[in-house]
Amino acid sequence: MATTNLSVYNPDDIPDAGDMKFGIVVAEWNYDITGKLLDGAVKTLRKHGASKKNIKVIRVPGSFELTSGAKLLAESHKKPDAIICLGCVIQGGTPHFTYICQSVTQGITQLNLDYEIPFIFGVLTTNNREEAADRAGGKYGNKGDEAAVTAIKMAALCR
Ligand code: DLZ
């Protein structure tokens, strides 16, 4: 199966993020993975000009809580231009995977419809831990990089 490297993009296509503000909400569940997504997202935002003071990071317990965390950021006084949601849901022996994935997907979709700013889906949904590691700085790049690039592009589009 061909898988795109999540960290490969044309930097010339990315607007300057020097005057943009970002919120990042990251799930603590599977933090060995989501911490790497966070590192990738922050590094990529900074690489394209975002200043440290304009990147607000909050943590929530699990991916199920990403929607409410993102909503909190959207309503904070420091109105972000885009909000990145980072999580990692790994298939287990019970149907939790389906429920959490459905909830976070629908929740983030709804936020995109309800607010004037973009909410970015930086959630890995994988069959196992190895597939997640491959996409959190491993052989398929880092989903956090991809989410940051998407956030910058969408923030520019919404202006
Ligand atoms: C409960 C749970 C399980 C089993 N698996 C994951 C997971 O793989 N990834 C993730 O981000 N969160 C998981 N959670 C936690 C839920 O997202 C949520 O935090 C709890 O159900 C409490 O609402």
Side-chain angles (χ1 to χ4, degrees), residues 128-145:
N128 53 52
R129 193 161 285 279
E130 187 189 352
E131 285 181 359
D134 286 346
R135 292 159 179 79
K139 66 179 172 188
Y140 297 129
N142 191 325
K143 181 88 179 159
D145 295 346

Side-chain angles (χ1 to χ4, degrees), residues 31 34-45 86 142 144-145:
Y31 198 74
T34 61
K36 290 181 179 154
L37 303 184
L38 177 62
D39 291 345
V42 171
K43 198 184 74 195
T44 303
L45 293 176
L86 300 174
N142 191 325
D145 295 346

